[in-house]
Amino acid sequence: MKKLTTALTLIMATGFFTAAHASDNCASKRASLEKQISIAQKYGNTNKVAGLKKGLAEVTAHCNDNNNHNNNNNNNHNNNLSDAQKDVSKLEKKLAEKTKDVNEVQADLNKAQARGDRQKISKYQRKLVEKQNDVREVQQDLNQARAKLARLQ
């Protein structure tokens, strides 16, 4: 029940944030959210208050009255493109790190096999599987990030 209440609260907070976001300017967005926060506090709805405060923080951090709608669309596209490029770059670095980890564990496994140390062989085999799974996950994330970047370009 608590999860349901939290989920509903987040959905409502998102709806309120979206409604506030559609307002004409930043001041009216903030005022709307602040009014909703005070109502939620009055009725003791702490989850709703938390969601609305998060929305208010987002408006405060990202709202800019100087941009018109067209500029916002262009800026959003440019920001999304830039973010997607950064994501791809970060994931490429992460993949290189994870691949290096796999190579290191593989080298350790090879040494343990050469010595015939069964405990270490078992240990490094488990580690190798874990590291290979990490590489697969990062590779999937990177593929998705590259696809997103391609769609934005």
Side-chain angles (χ1 to χ4, degrees):
M1 184 68 182
K2 191 171 189 175
K3 287 181 182 180
L4 178 61
T5 304
T6 303
L8 290 174
T9 300
L10 289 174
I11 291 168
M12 289 188 308
T14 303
F16 289 131
F17 176 71
T18 304
H21 192 65
S23 300
D24 293 330
N25 61 42
C26 297
S28 65
K29 292 174 191 178
R30 282 190 292 274
S32 174
L33 285 168
E34 288 167 353
K35 180 179 177 184
Q36 291 170 33
I37 288 169
S38 69
I39 292 170
Q41 285 173 333
K42 178 180 174 184
Y43 290 102
N45 193 338
T46 56
N47 291 330
K48 188 173 182 180
V49 169
L52 290 168
K53 283 186 177 181
K54 183 177 179 183
L56 181 60
E58 289 292 317
V59 168
T60 301
H62 302 291
C63 188
N64 184 352
D65 286 330
N66 294 331
N67 292 334
N68 64 29
H69 184 68
N70 290 335
N71 285 341
N72 281 339
N73 284 340
N74 289 336
N75 288 339
N76 287 341
H77 177 72
N78 291 339
N79 288 340
N80 289 341
L81 183 60
S82 176
D83 289 345
Q85 290 167 336
K86 288 176 187 175
D87 288 344
V88 167
S89 178
K90 285 179 186 177
L91 287 167
E92 286 172 341
K93 288 177 186 174
K94 189 173 183 179
L95 181 62
E97 291 172 10
K98 297 294 183 181
T99 302
K100 180 182 172 196
D101 292 345
V102 166
N103 293 336
E104 289 173 358
V105 172
Q106 182 66 56
D108 291 339
L109 175 60
N110 292 343
K111 288 177 190 174
Q113 287 172 333
R115 288 190 304 253
D117 188 338
R118 291 180 190 251
Q119 281 184 322
K120 292 216 177 190
I121 291 171
S122 178
K123 172 185 170 183
Y124 289 126
Q125 285 175 334
R126 284 190 306 273
K127 275 187 152 185
L128 184 59
V129 168
E130 179 184 317
K131 299 294 182 181
Q132 288 170 333
N133 287 336
D134 290 346
V135 167
R136 268 188 229 102
E137 287 178 22
V138 173
Q139 184 64 56
Q140 288 174 346
D141 292 344
L142 178 57
N143 291 343
Q144 290 174 351
R146 284 179 175 158
K148 180 179 178 182
L149 178 60
R151 285 191 306 270
L152 291 171
Q153 289 177 329

